[in-house]
Amino acid sequence: MDLGLKDHVILIAGSSRGIGKATARAFLAEGCRTIITGRNTESLLETKHEFEREFGADPVMACTGDLSQTPVIRAVLNQIRDRWGGLDCVVANIGSGRGTPGWMLTDADWLKAFEVNLWASSRLVTEVLPDMAEAQHGSVVLVVSIVGLESTPAPMPYSAAKAALVNFGKNLARSVGPSNVRVNCVAPGNVLFSGGSWEKHLTDRGEEVGRFINTEVPLQRFGRPEEIADVIVFLSSDRASFITGACVVADGGQTRSI
């Protein structure tokens, strides 16, 4: 299916590995001009060179830096404007499930989780939206998590922050809809990739994790980054032009409450 994305300018925050990297590859395969980002310069450049070998140098741009910080976001957006003009889509793939388990939590536990999993994405979107609204065109995709949709064993501050991000996306969609800007969320379940948290869990407690997947996930397997990327790319395309304010779950059937 031709998604009509050729030459669209796409920014993916957090795209040197995992879901973000798979998403960048999927956009490049659609002929998009794609900006990848990451805090680790070595990892980001390795990904950039990999993409250049696959798609050529012209459609790939790499920006190193922490996109949770407003000055860094503004600097990256200026680089994009200088090279390609305005953005057509931003994918906020920012977050971390690390945190203190249980309910004996400090203010620092909550602040850290909300900084990484809510405020970083909201800052990025806030900086991107004015140009999209002025252009009367744009798509925002927030990568959330099924932990924000129902009770799970994940750290409570992480889960609450992702729930807040889902709500932020829903309300933002209503606010910017009149400017023809769409905002959607994608909520992955358990996705396995090299360097990800589930790889570590499998190494540390493989039997327990295997039982969990077989019991809690009807498809009885992990998701692949490419499966999440395909949902993100579709939501960013004109094929999804009447979809906004949605939260699309891709979790192998794990969630039960929605």
Side-chain angles (χ1 to χ4, degrees), residues 233-255:
V233 173
F234 171 72
L235 286 175
S236 305
S237 75
D238 287 343
R239 295 282 182 168
S241 58
F242 199 53
I243 301 175
T244 194
C247 181
V248 179
V249 176
D251 69 347
Q254 182 177 342
T255 54

Side-chain angles (χ1 to χ4, degrees), residues 176-211:
V176 300
S179 298
N180 197 37
V181 177
R182 298 183 299 109
V183 182
N184 291 292
C185 296
V186 174
N190 309 304
V191 178
L192 181 63
F193 57 87
S194 178
S197 59
W198 280 109
E199 183 182 62
K200 184 177 187 305
H201 293 324
L202 278 172
T203 300
D204 295 343
R205 46 193 180 90
E207 285 191 23
E208 179 187 345
V209 170
R211 286 194 300 271

Side-chain angles (χ1 to χ4, degrees), residues 137-195:
H137 168 78
S139 169
V140 174
V141 178
L142 305 171
V143 180
V144 294
S145 169
I146 60 170
V147 305
L149 304 177
E150 65 179 22
S151 175
T152 75
M156 283 192 284
Y158 169 58
S159 300
K162 287 298 189 181
L165 188 58
V166 173
N167 186 270
F168 169 71
K170 186 75 170 178
N171 282 283
L172 188 62
R174 293 190 65 86
S175 297
V176 300
S179 298
N180 197 37
V181 177
R182 298 183 299 109
V183 182
N184 291 292
C185 296
V186 174
N190 309 304
V191 178
L192 181 63
F193 57 87
S194 178

Side-chain angles (χ1 to χ4, degrees), residues 7-89:
D7 292 332
H8 282 208
V9 180
I10 316 293
L11 169 63
I12 303 134
S15 38
S16 62
R17 65 187 183 98
I19 292 171
K21 181 178 179 179
T23 301
R25 174 174 275 112
F27 274 118
L28 285 164
E30 291 290 331
C32 296
R33 299 167 179 172
T34 304
I35 303 97
I36 59 173
T37 71
R39 289 176 293 180
N40 185 303
T41 302
E42 183 179 351
S43 177
L44 186 67
L45 288 178
E46 183 179 324
T47 299
K48 178 176 183 284
H49 296 325
E50 181 181 332
F51 286 160
E52 287 176 340
R53 289 191 296 270
E54 191 171 349
F55 301 101
D58 288 346
V60 184
M61 179 177 177
C63 296
T64 306
D66 183 357
L67 260 70
S68 69
Q69 304 301 312
T70 300
V72 177
I73 296 169
R74 290 175 178 172
V76 167
L77 292 180
N78 284 333
Q79 292 178 58
I80 296 169
R81 291 187 191 103
D82 289 344
R83 181 168 175 179
W84 285 324
L87 283 170
D88 295 289
C89 173

